[in-house]
Amino acid sequence: MTENNQSVTKARITPAKAVSMIWLIPIIAVLIGSWMVYQNWRNQGPLIKIEFKTASGIEVGTTKIKSLNVDIGQVTKVHLKPNLDGVIVTARLSSPTYEALLRENTTFWVVSPQITRAGVSGLHTLLSGPYIELYPGTGQKEKYRFKGLETPPLTPSGTPGLSVTLSSEHDFSFTAGDPILYQGFNVGKIEELHFNSDENTMYYNAFIEAPYHTLIRSNTRFWKMSGIEVDVSANGMKLQAGTLESIVRGG
C-alpha cells in the first residue's frame, strides 16, 4: 500500500467584520433625520393660547396669526373651555424671534368684515378669510396665554394721546366709534360706554389723539353736535347743521 505525499495548504482564517458596511446607510439616514427633527424643533416659534367667546371664523390649520399684515403663525387647535363659557385657541408662531412680541399687554382680536357706525372694516377678509391680529405689547414680562378682544380696538395700545372719561345725565345716545370734533377736525373718538344705575349717569371712555390732547384743561367742555338743528320762532327760522360726518352718524 503506497501513500501519496501531497502538500497540504493550511486555510487562512480571518475574523468576520463586526458591522457590515451596508448598515452605514440606515445609520446615516437616522442621523440626518434626527438632525432635521432637531432643527425643526429649534426653529419653531412658541406655542400660545388665546381665549375667545366663540370660535366664529376660526379654523384649525387655516386661520393665520398676523401682525401688521405679516403672517407670523397659524392656529393648530381649538377646544371648548371646561365651563363652556368660551373657547381656547392654540396657535404656533412660525419663528422664535416672534417671542419678543408676547408681553403682558399684547392684544389679539379676530379680523373679519364689519359694518358699524364707526365705518366699514375687514372687507379684505372676504376672499382670504378671517384671521387673528396680534398687536405687540410693551411690557417687561413674557406671557403665553391671553384673553382675546371681542371687537378690534378703536385705538391701538401705545397710540400717543390722552384717555378721558365723560359723563352725562342726558340721553345723548353715543356709541363706540363716534368721533370727537374740535372746530370741525376729528381729534378723537368714543371707545366704550357704560351706565351707572346708582348714579343714573352714562359714562363714556374716550381717547383724544396727540397733539390735540394738549387742548384738555380743567375747564374744557364737551357737548353734543346735532346733525341738523332747526329752531322756528316768531323771529323766523334758524337752521344750524354740523359737519357731514356728524350728519351721517346722527350727531
Side-chain angles (χ1 to χ4, degrees), residues 21-35:
M21 293 294 293
I22 197 173
W23 287 102
L24 289 178
I25 297 177
I27 291 174
I28 293 175
V30 169
L31 292 177
I32 294 176
S34 300
W35 179 82

Side-chain angles (χ1 to χ4, degrees), residues 38-185:
Y38 169 75
Q39 287 294 107
N40 181 66
W41 172 82
R42 182 182 178 184
N43 294 328
Q44 71 179 357
L47 197 67
I48 61 175
K49 294 184 177 181
I50 314 167
E51 297 181 15
F52 288 106
K53 289 291 184 181
T54 68
S56 176
I58 300 176
E59 297 183 6
V60 175
T62 302
T63 303
K64 304 290 186 181
I65 307 291
K66 294 187 178 184
S67 182
L68 300 178
N69 208 30
V70 176
D71 291 348
I72 62 173
Q74 191 175 49
V75 173
T76 59
K77 183 180 179 181
V78 179
H79 65 276
L80 292 172
K81 296 176 64 176
N83 51 5
L84 302 179
D85 64 343
V87 299
I88 298 178
V89 176
T90 303
R92 173 78 68 180
L93 300 188
S94 57
S95 173
T97 58
Y98 296 140
E99 193 168 7
L101 306 176
L102 306 176
R103 292 295 182 263
E104 290 177 306
N105 54 349
T106 298
T107 53
F108 295 84
W109 65 89
V110 177
V111 178
S112 58
Q114 289 187 345
I115 301 177
T116 63
R117 289 181 60 180
V120 180
S121 62
L123 292 182
H124 59 286
T125 61
L126 289 174
L127 298 178
S128 61
Y131 62 88
I132 299 176
E133 179 73 16
L134 179 154
Y135 189 86
T138 57
Q140 297 297 324
K141 295 183 179 180
E142 295 180 352
K143 190 175 180 181
Y144 299 93
R145 184 165 184 142
F146 306 88
K147 188 171 184 180
L149 303 177
E150 297 308 313
T151 57
L154 296 176
T155 305
S157 177
T159 302
L162 177 67
S163 295
V164 297
T165 300
L166 311 178
S167 62
S168 173
E169 299 178 357
H170 304 284
D171 183 19
F172 282 171
S173 301
F174 292 129
T175 60
D178 285 346
I180 297 177
L181 306 178
Y182 176 73
Q183 296 185 358
F185 293 98

